[in-house]
Amino acid sequence: MATIYIVMGVSGVGKTTLGKAIAQKMNIPFYDADDFHPQANIDKMASGIPLQDEDRWPWLDRIVNQYDQWQTKGAVLACSALKESYRDRLKVDQLQVKTIYLSANFESIQQRLAARKNHFFNPDLLQSQFDTLEAPTSGIICDASLQKDRLLQYIMNTITAQNTSQLGLIGLGVMGKSLSRNFANNHISMSLFNRHVSGVEEDVAVNFVTSYPELTNSKGFDDIEAFVKSLSLPRKIFLMVNAGPAVDTVITSLEPYLSEGDIIMDGGNSHYVDTQRRVEVLKEKGIHFLGVGVSGGEEGALKGPSIMPGGTAEAYEHVGPFLEAIAARDAHGNACCAHVGSGGSGHFVKMIHNGIEYAEMQLIAEAYDILRNHCSLSLEQIAQTFDTWNEGAENSYLLEISAKIVRKTENGQPLIDVILDKAKQKGTGSWSTTAALQIGVPFDTIAQSVLARIISSEKAQRVKGQSLYAIDRAEIHELDIATIREAYQTARIINHAIGFETLRKASSEYEWDLHLSEIARIWTNGCIIRSTLMEQIISVLHGFDDNILFHESVIPEMTKGQAALKKVVQDSVGAGAAIPVFCASLSYFNAMIQGDSSANMIQAQRDFFGAHTYERKDKEGSFHTHWE
Ligand code: NDP
């Protein structure tokens, strides 16, 4: 829709000069409203007789009658339009009419008019104009005393900002839709794009913006060039497409239309190595690329996710306010979004978040298994047990939903009992296991939770195994629920310690300068692993650069909790339970508190069969022995 810009203010304020300059910049025609006065009005003004309202209506109507000719390109109109009612008269439905008000004080204008020659307006009428003026409160309001170039610059910047969107988003799938509604709800103007597949996916974004009232001011596009051109500079484009080749495809389609300094954010679950590559490639072209971890699922994306952006601090300066506006809030009301570090760190942090999540889920599943199959608790008793734990230090989002899951029925039957015991995975668990091994972090709990899902998928083999061995899972009479609860919490602490150790080592390996306490803080709300424990970890990691298990506040808890963990592992494994993450957490803990390990035997074996040499406790250097 074309726009008519009405540059208004009292006589002598500079409407004509500025109006012409604006029209020239925008390459649209300029008109002076005075040229449309009926002759009777011109005569009156020349004789110094003030115009009345009844003189102005025919004049304003003559201007509106010109709109038919102006509507293709739009126009700039210099017009006093001092009263609200005059400006209302200039508005029509089929065109946008925007006001640019040049505000000035009486004295400065009087001086200007007095200095003018050959102008038919009588400066004595100025006071009546100021008396008549009803200054607009909306539109572009600017100080006419500013130097002309600066005034023009200000007006042009404001017009550009009003015409362009602050943020672009590509990919209107589950997450993209929710995130764009969240941005719009936070008064961020959006341009939205979804790929066009002729006959299959057409006008997805255009239709989407008409579906929700909060998107009234958002623009939908089916054409990538028009989408990019609709964004204010530097362009900020959020990708919410499937991780993998789709991200590269979209980047390639954007590139011809981007300029230096523009910023692309990838909000999908991309692999951090891909993100590092994209950061480097786009850097060569002067484009910033941020890997932005987003957690919280569809609902979190709409109501407030936890956001983990990584990339240059310079790019974050531009996008941070937008991301922080839509993020969840922590207990102190601060955004659960912070610049986590450089390069691909945002996606690495999100990947480790998912790794911790895998093990948290598996620990609940294992506790559920022990309670149900070895302690003979009913589903309602298990739900009540989880509810009780949730009232204490064990509280977490995952435990809350697990209590609801075991209570859920379908046709009067527990739903959990008809859900197939095969767990799927999308890859972030195994990615994090591989990434941790590459930097030498024993990722026991997380790796075991990935392996547990893999074993779960071997349903047919498990059923066969059961028939071959026919071993019943035994009741554990001597295990009380309080011990299971303590073991569960102890294993969780170990799992979190392993997750944060991975981040600590990755930060040093890749020089990302991750702030672990801040990462714990942005994980306290809006994400799947939010919990009371995570809130405690914020202070544990504050100014502490070591394994969480070695923090003075954690040592007493672990000293006490390890006994419960040992008992649960011993009794449950003895009774036939498969509880790999409970076991892995205990093995990690046992290994991490042994000053002397059995690795001397490994060293000796390696030297024996492969002459790999070994180091000694009693002297420095590398040694080799002829073993036989
Ligand atoms: P969806 O499958 O719902 O949406 C994917 C979007 O990507 C669609 O708009 C799709 O367009 C678009 N797309 C796919 N391939 C291409 C391509 N080659 N070119 C252009 N556009 C393409 O996925 P989600 O919204 O669930 O997830 C998006 C990303 O967010 C993923 O990386 C996911 O792992 C991550 N994520 C998901 C979470 C969730 O809870 N769902 C949570 C956090 C992150 P079209 O409609 O035309 O197919």
Side-chain angles (χ1 to χ4, degrees), residues 171-175 194-195 201 240-243 246 250 268-269 294 297:
L172 293 170
V174 174
M175 291 293 285
N194 199 81
R195 66 175 161 177
E201 302 222 38
M240 212 59 210
V241 301
N242 302 102
V250 174
N269 274 336
V294 178

Side-chain angles (χ1 to χ4, degrees), residues 329-341:
R329 303 285 128 181
D330 68 13
H332 303 285
N334 299 315
C336 288
C337 169
H339 180 224
V340 295

Side-chain angles (χ1 to χ4, degrees), residues 23-93:
Q24 192 182 13
K25 284 258 179 212
M26 298 181 81
N27 196 24
I28 57 177
F30 168 80
Y31 299 99
D32 190 332
D34 284 345
D35 294 341
F36 299 94
H37 271 294
Q39 189 56 44
N41 289 1
I42 296 170
D43 294 343
K44 271 193 177 178
M45 288 188 287
S47 331
I49 304 167
L51 296 181
Q52 303 303 316
D53 280 356
E54 58 269 24
D55 300 317
R56 288 200 165 85
W57 302 134
W59 167 57
L60 295 169
D61 289 342
R62 282 186 79 190
I63 294 172
V64 171
N65 286 338
Q66 305 299 311
Y67 283 3
D68 273 354
Q69 295 165 42
W70 301 352
Q71 69 178 350
T72 325
K73 293 187 82 176
V76 178
L77 175 75
C79 178
S80 46
L82 298 177
K83 285 190 180 178
E84 187 79 34
S85 54
Y86 305 163
R87 297 190 290 272
D88 284 345
R89 192 84 169 216
L90 290 169
K91 287 181 188 156
V92 291
D93 286 341

